[in-house]
């Protein structure tokens, strides 16, 4: 008897009205997932499913925490080049707003970080390969992320 896990987004894009008062978001999500699974899986397969786990939708605070983790991942590769990365909380807010994560979840955060942060850092490194800054600071100005290079850790 091997333990196999299966994941699915079944029911996550359904807008069915839910029946029942006082149900939590998790209970509603589980009902949607169960209904969706029954529509495309044969009954004998569903009988072998031990448990359905429905995940609660992520909040803006959750997306901000995920965005912070993703931006933090940039620190180590930059430190290997001798560059310290700093950023403001406004940068994280910008990423969350730009990502429109309600539609595609946290995957969109990665794309926004690539486009609005990694690209400008790479541009700075390529254009100043002979004189790399010691630190870079990211902030938001005029609805875009801006990078300020520095020759010190201030």
């Amino acid at each position: 008897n091997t333990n196999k896990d299966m994941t699915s987004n079944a029911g996550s894009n359904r807008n069915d009205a839910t029946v029942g008062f006082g149900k939590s978001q998790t209970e509603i999500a589980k009902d949607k997932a169960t209904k969706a699974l029954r529509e495309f899986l044969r009954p004998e397969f569903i009988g072998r499913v031990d448990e359905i786990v429905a995940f609660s939708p992520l909040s803006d605070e959750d997306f901000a925490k995920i965005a912070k983790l993703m931006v933090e991942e940039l620190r180590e590769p930059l430190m290997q080049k001798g560059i310290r990365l700093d950023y403001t909380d406004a940068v994280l807010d910008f990423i969350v707003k730009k990502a429109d994560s309600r539609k595609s979840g946290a995957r969109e955060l990665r794309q926004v970080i690539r486009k609005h942060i990694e690209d400008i850092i790479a541009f700075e490194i390529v254009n100043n390969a002979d004189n790399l800054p010691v630190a870079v600071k990211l902030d938001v100005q005029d609805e875009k992320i801006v990078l300020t290079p520095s020759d010190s850790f201030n």
Side-chain angles (χ1 to χ4, degrees):
N1 186 6
T2 60
N3 204 6
K4 299 288 181 186
D5 293 336
M6 176 180 67
T7 60
S8 171
N9 287 333
S12 63
N13 60 352
R14 296 178 73 115
N15 290 325
D16 296 350
T18 54
V19 178
F21 296 99
K23 285 188 175 184
S24 70
Q25 287 295 337
T26 302
E27 290 170 321
I28 291 169
K30 189 171 183 175
D31 288 348
K32 285 175 159 181
T34 302
K35 186 175 180 182
L37 286 171
R38 291 189 191 285
E39 288 178 5
F40 76 88
L41 295 177
R42 296 182 354 209
E44 59 270 21
F45 183 78
I46 290 176
R48 293 176 170 247
V49 174
D50 294 327
E51 181 179 14
I52 296 173
V53 178
F55 294 95
S56 301
L58 297 173
S59 67
D60 286 343
E61 292 80 26
D62 295 328
F63 286 117
K65 289 176 186 175
I66 294 168
K68 182 175 180 147
L69 289 171
M70 290 178 172
V71 172
E72 287 291 323
E73 289 174 352
L74 301 175
R75 284 187 190 264
E76 182 60 31
L78 288 171
M79 282 306 283
Q80 290 175 1
K81 295 187 180 318
I83 303 170
R84 189 177 93 187
L85 172 66
D86 292 316
Y87 56 91
T88 64
D89 288 341
V91 170
L92 300 177
D93 293 339
F94 174 90
I95 293 167
V96 171
K97 287 177 191 168
K98 268 295 193 207
D100 194 18
S101 301
R102 294 285 174 227
K103 290 182 183 174
S104 59
R107 285 181 223 93
E108 185 72 17
L109 292 172
R110 177 70 63 205
Q111 293 171 348
V112 170
I113 290 169
R114 276 192 194 113
K115 180 178 179 182
H116 295 277
I117 294 178
E118 290 178 13
D119 286 357
I120 64 170
I121 292 173
F123 185 81
E124 178 70 25
I125 290 171
V126 168
N127 285 333
N128 297 295
D130 295 333
N131 189 23
L132 289 177
V134 174
V136 293
K137 183 167 185 174
L138 301 171
D139 201 354
V140 177
Q141 291 177 3
D142 300 323
E143 295 298 315
K144 68 179 190 173
I145 294 180
V146 294
L147 178 142
T148 305
S150 175
D151 291 332
S152 67
F153 279 139
N154 295 334

